[in-house]
Amino acid sequence: MTAGYYAAVDWGTSSFRLWLIGEDGAVLAERRSAEGMTTAARTGFHAVLDGHLAAVSAPAHLPIIICGMAGARQGWREAGYLETPATLGAIAGNAIAVPDVDRDIRILPGLAQRDDRHPDVMRGEETQLLGAAGMLDDGRHLVCMPGTHSKWVRLSGQTVDGFSTFMTGELFEVISKHTILSHAVAEADAIAADSAAFAEAVTRARERPALTTNLLFSVRAGQLLHGLSAADAKARLSGTLIGLEIAGALASAGSVDGICLVGSGRLGALYRSALESQGLTVRVVDADEAVRAGLSAAAQAIWPL
Amino acid sequence: MTAGYYAAVDWGTSSFRLWLIGEDGAVLAERRSAEGMTTAARTGFHAVLDGHLAAVSAPAHLPIIICGMAGARQGWREAGYLETPATLGAIAGNAIAVPDVDRDIRILPGLAQRDDRHPDVMRGEETQLLGAAGMLDDGRHLVCMPGTHSKWVRLSGQTVDGFSTFMTGELFEVISKHTILSHAVAEADAIAADSAAFAEAVTRARERPALTTNLLFSVRAGQLLHGLSAADAKARLSGTLIGLEIAGALASAGSVDGICLVGSGRLGALYRSALESQGLTVRVVDADEAVRAGLSAAAQAIWPL
């Protein structure tokens, strides 16, 4: 077994993931928990991190590289933002060190687009992007990172030209839970990536985005008048919101050489299916691999062997 | 004082309104409460109604005309739907009588559009529409009825050709309460109808509806990066959703002779401002007057003097 080189942490709003990385780049151990920023802000970031480091028997002076919401104003220590257009190589150089701790802990900055008409921010996705960019050629890519707040990034080689956030995942969540559609979708299982109702909803919202909230209500009306099933109702809700996102992202993307989808699991499969249903060819990069590659690139820049 | 002729009730999901009407059409008494369908389904529709009738000293055999969610499946007694295209005159004729009660109580039906691609339903607004139609000429009108679920109706004389529901009000509510934007808008007062941020948001969403959920996230980013005020954040959230609704409603309306806005209070003023900001001329009908006029037209058809 190689010695530990560093630990990499992806610290989101509601999730915590840690990888212990060896000098040869191998993953020696992994931890996942629900102690995201929201939980850690109450119980203490240092305590949460120490607990996981102890669980993987990390050496006392192992350095730690962190990305995500731990660097938000309401996180552990504010890590600020790099401004677009931004070079991905500048991420590591702008990491901040957590003071008054007994090891070297760095938190990576987010990205900000200080544009009067299109202000936008990301925190965590810049590190996925850094990792994904290492797997792409130097052309102009449109990078889709689906999630609670989906990010669509215009990338030229290693430069982020700009990006747009769409509140798709969060809207799906609150509409499913808190609106009249909650009854329609309550009993449904996870959406199948090959659902015909999903693909149809993606197409209709992409073709007529102005009708989005009408398409959403028609899920309820379809259930009342045509006995629409819970599975199809949920697929249509999701497809409508993702179709709207795709319409908006492509409309503001300009010309690109290709689309890269940084996703994993069910959500990645659903976005891939949505994009392909629109005749788009996508290069898929696993989101977990991308964030680990990004943390690794930053760690090697900060602590060269 | 004239004798009571009938009592008219607008029984919504979360509100109850009753007017005691004299033989000359005058309003003799009025009651308003929060005992909408949701509450009455627990405490009993009959008991709620009797309480309000006693409070206005209604005669023992006074007939009662009701519109709204009391006629839903989960209401007092299901009143079914008239199907589009529908003549407004048919509403009264399709009222159902509540059985096993000691007075003549009728509940008006809703409207349903049994269209595979555009299924839609309304319940309560058909009565507003019946009242508003009596104040319009016989041309082709696009009637906007803003609310939790805004209705846009294509009306030719007394015939409803079709309609579309937009979930604008409900989305505004859940986004304000349950998403990341809740922090941005929490401290804001009611939106001023002449808010520049509101009008700008209406225009941007109408021009680029595909960007809706990006425009919503930019409210959060604008607060983080540019110190956007809570008042402007709330105005932009509302303006974005209303602009999206207007874009969709006009796109599917076809050619009309005029737009009629059936609204009242703050929401009516906001929609009027939004429509006028888009260069549209609107005839405004007060929503309270419209529903009373509709209930009155139905009552006179059922119980002619």
Side-chain angles (χ1 to χ4, degrees):
Chain A
M1 178 172 155
T2 59
Y5 174 12
Y6 61 89
V9 177
D10 178 10
W11 211 325
T13 301
S14 57
S15 70
F16 173 97
R17 288 182 306 173
L18 177 147
W19 298 276
L20 180 62
I21 306 293
E23 293 198 347
D24 60 355
V27 175
L28 305 177
E30 177 176 349
R31 303 279 297 173
R32 287 172 184 255
S33 91
E35 292 152 303
M37 178 191 71
T38 310
T39 303
R42 287 196 309 268
T43 60
F45 287 89
H46 201 171
V48 169
L49 179 62
D50 273 353
H52 289 284
L53 289 172
V56 298
S57 307
H61 296 288
L62 188 81
I64 316 289
I65 185 93
I66 301 174
C67 72
M69 294 303 285
R73 199 172 303 167
Q74 64 276 44
W76 190 355
R77 182 93 191 172
E78 190 172 4
Y81 297 106
L82 277 184
E83 305 209 359
T84 58
T87 308
L88 291 171
I91 291 174
N94 284 273
I96 59 111
V98 178
D100 309 322
V101 286
D102 51 4
R103 54 171 95 232
D104 191 356
I105 302 177
R106 311 283 179 109
I107 306 180
L108 299 175
L111 287 188
Q113 179 167 284
R114 288 182 198 277
D115 174 315
D116 271 357
R117 285 183 68 89
H118 302 285
D120 217 323
V121 291
M122 66 167 69
R123 194 175 281 290
E125 293 90 350
E126 73 297 324
T127 305
Q128 276 190 19
L129 203 57
L130 173 63
M135 306 172 200
L136 298 172
D137 63 42
D138 267 355
R140 292 168 56 84
H141 299 276
L142 182 60
V143 183
C144 166
M145 297 186 282
T148 302
H149 299 149
S150 294
K151 309 288 179 186
W152 286 74
V153 183
R154 298 177 294 286
L155 189 67
S156 300
Q158 297 293 309
T159 303
V160 175
D161 293 324
F163 62 96
S164 303
T165 302
F166 296 82
M167 284 181 59
T168 308
E170 189 167 24
L171 285 179
F172 176 78
E173 194 70 16
V174 299
I175 292 171
S176 298
K177 274 193 190 157
H178 300 293
T179 71
I180 196 168
L181 297 193
S182 61
H183 313 294
V185 305
E187 306 291 316
D189 292 330
I191 302 158
D194 63 354
S195 154
F198 174 76
E200 192 189 56
V202 170
T203 298
R204 291 180 66 183
R206 189 181 169 208
E207 285 175 352
R208 304 195 69 187
L211 288 185
T212 296
T213 74
N214 172 242
L215 294 171
L216 294 178
F217 187 79
S218 79
V219 172
R220 168 67 176 158
Q223 193 203 27
L224 279 174
L225 300 180
H226 301 139
L228 184 72
S229 70
D232 282 355
K234 188 172 178 179
R236 278 177 53 183
L237 166 55
S238 172
T240 300
L241 293 172
I242 293 176
L244 175 67
E245 174 183 331
I246 292 173
L250 295 183
S252 49
S255 83
V256 293
D257 300 324
I259 298 177
C260 171
L261 171 64
V262 181
S264 59
R266 275 213 182 97
L267 190 65
L270 216 50
Y271 267 75
R272 179 179 193 156
S273 160
L275 289 162
E276 291 180 349
S277 79
Q278 300 306 298
L280 301 163
T281 306
V282 290
R283 158 85 187 265
V284 179
V285 169
D286 182 81
D288 283 8
E289 279 177 36
V291 76
R292 245 177 18 241
L295 285 163
S296 169
Q300 289 175 44
I302 296 172
W303 306 296
L305 277 176
Chain B
M1 182 172 152
T2 59
Y5 174 13
Y6 62 90
V9 177
D10 178 10
W11 210 326
T13 301
S14 57
S15 69
F16 173 97
R17 288 183 303 173
L18 177 146
W19 297 275
L20 180 62
I21 306 292
E23 293 198 349
D24 59 355
V27 175
L28 305 178
E30 179 175 346
R31 303 280 297 174
R32 288 171 183 257
S33 92
E35 292 153 302
M37 177 191 71
T38 311
T39 303
R42 288 197 308 269
T43 59
F45 287 88
H46 202 171
V48 169
L49 179 62
D50 273 353
H52 288 284
L53 289 173
V56 298
S57 307
H61 295 288
L62 189 80
I64 317 288
I65 185 92
I66 301 174
C67 72
M69 295 302 286
R73 199 171 304 165
Q74 64 275 46
W76 189 355
R77 182 93 192 172
E78 190 172 4
Y81 296 107
L82 277 184
E83 305 210 358
T84 58
T87 308
L88 291 171
I91 291 175
N94 284 274
I96 60 109
V98 178
D100 308 322
V101 286
D102 49 5
R103 54 172 95 231
D104 191 355
I105 303 177
R106 312 283 179 107
I107 306 180
L108 299 175
L111 287 188
Q113 179 168 283
R114 286 183 200 277
D115 173 316
D116 271 357
R117 285 182 69 88
H118 303 285
D120 217 322
V121 291
M122 66 168 71
R123 195 175 279 291
E125 294 89 351
E126 74 296 324
T127 305
Q128 276 190 19
L129 202 58
L130 174 62
M135 306 174 201
L136 298 172
D137 62 44
D138 266 357
R140 291 168 57 83
H141 299 276
L142 183 60
V143 182
C144 167
M145 296 186 283
T148 302
H149 299 149
S150 294
K151 309 289 179 186
W152 286 72
V153 183
R154 297 177 294 287
L155 188 67
S156 299
Q158 297 293 309
T159 303
V160 175
D161 294 324
F163 62 96
S164 303
T165 301
F166 296 83
M167 282 180 62
T168 308
E170 188 166 25
L171 285 179
F172 176 80
E173 193 69 16
V174 299
I175 293 171
S176 298
K177 273 193 190 154
H178 300 294
T179 71
I180 196 169
L181 297 195
S182 61
H183 313 294
V185 304
E187 306 292 315
D189 293 330
I191 302 158
D194 63 353
S195 155
F198 174 77
E200 192 189 55
V202 171
T203 299
R204 292 180 67 181
R206 188 179 169 209
E207 285 174 353
R208 304 194 69 187
L211 288 185
T212 295
T213 74
N214 172 243
L215 293 171
L216 293 179
F217 187 78
S218 79
V219 172
R220 168 67 175 158
Q223 193 203 28
L224 278 174
L225 300 181
H226 301 139
L228 184 73
S229 71
D232 282 355
K234 188 171 178 181
R236 278 176 54 182
L237 166 55
S238 171
T240 300
L241 294 172
I242 293 176
L244 175 67
E245 174 183 329
I246 292 174
L250 294 183
S252 49
S255 82
V256 292
D257 299 323
I259 299 177
C260 171
L261 170 64
V262 181
S264 58
R266 275 214 183 97
L267 190 66
L270 217 49
Y271 268 74
R272 180 179 194 158
S273 160
L275 290 162
E276 290 181 347
S277 79
Q278 300 307 297
L280 301 164
T281 306
V282 290
R283 159 86 186 263
V284 180
V285 170
D286 182 81
D288 284 8
E289 279 177 35
V291 77
R292 245 178 17 240
L295 285 163
S296 168
Q300 290 176 44
I302 297 172
W303 305 296
L305 277 178

